[in-house]
Amino acid sequence: MSTSDQDQSVDTPIPAPDAGTAAEVEAETEVEAEVEAETEVEAETEGEAEGRRLTPRQARRLRIALSSVGMVAMAVVLGLRIASRSSVLVVGVYGLALILCGVVIELSRNGRTRLGSWLLAVGLVAAIGSDWLLIP
């Protein structure tokens, strides 16, 4: 160490390089404020987007609940259709719909919620359509 280094105290701050004019300092401050504001807006937007989306666990529970409701509805319709018109075709159509709802519940429990959603929608529409078209 040289004698000039020893003369300065340890707590003395090191002078900043030439910061420029006051206008440049203000411009830098404004840019920093804009960046912070944009960051806050992005964080709020991401928070809102995350708040609207379901977590995988919530999606599975929702699919299981919808499949259970579909299963109960198909069982009620099956009971009403058998009471009014006893047919093997009625039992077959609504029995397959009940099995489909059970398969969708198992798919949802195993994390295959998209496949379960499509299968549930297509299967229930097919069951109702075949009831309308095939069963007199």
Side-chain angles (χ1 to χ4, degrees):
M1 290 174 83
S2 67
T3 56
S4 62
D5 290 337
Q6 294 175 356
D7 292 338
Q8 294 180 347
S9 71
V10 177
D11 295 332
T12 305
I14 299 172
D18 185 25
T21 65
E24 290 177 356
V25 173
E26 283 183 31
E28 289 178 9
T29 307
E30 289 177 10
V31 170
E32 290 174 2
E34 288 177 12
V35 170
E36 288 178 14
E38 288 176 5
T39 305
E40 289 176 7
V41 169
E42 288 175 4
E44 289 175 5
T45 305
E46 289 175 5
E48 290 174 4
E50 290 175 4
R52 288 185 290 208
R53 295 190 65 186
L54 295 176
T55 63
R57 185 178 209 168
Q58 290 172 334
R60 284 193 300 270
R61 287 184 177 178
L62 178 65
R63 201 79 57 237
I64 289 170
L66 289 175
S67 297
S68 300
V69 167
M71 186 178 277
V72 169
M74 289 297 133
V76 168
V77 171
L78 175 63
L80 293 174
R81 295 289 283 177
I82 287 178
S84 67
R85 187 174 311 133
S86 183
S87 169
V88 174
L89 195 54
V90 170
V91 174
V93 167
Y94 288 103
L96 287 175
L98 288 169
I99 291 170
L100 175 75
C101 290
V103 168
V104 171
I105 289 172
E106 282 302 311
L107 285 172
S108 296
R109 287 182 63 214
N110 293 324
R112 302 288 180 201
T113 55
R114 289 183 191 156
L115 176 63
S117 299
W118 283 104
L119 192 60
L120 183 65
V122 170
L124 292 181
V125 167
I128 293 169
S130 63
D131 178 26
W132 182 66
L133 291 174
L134 298 176
I135 301 173

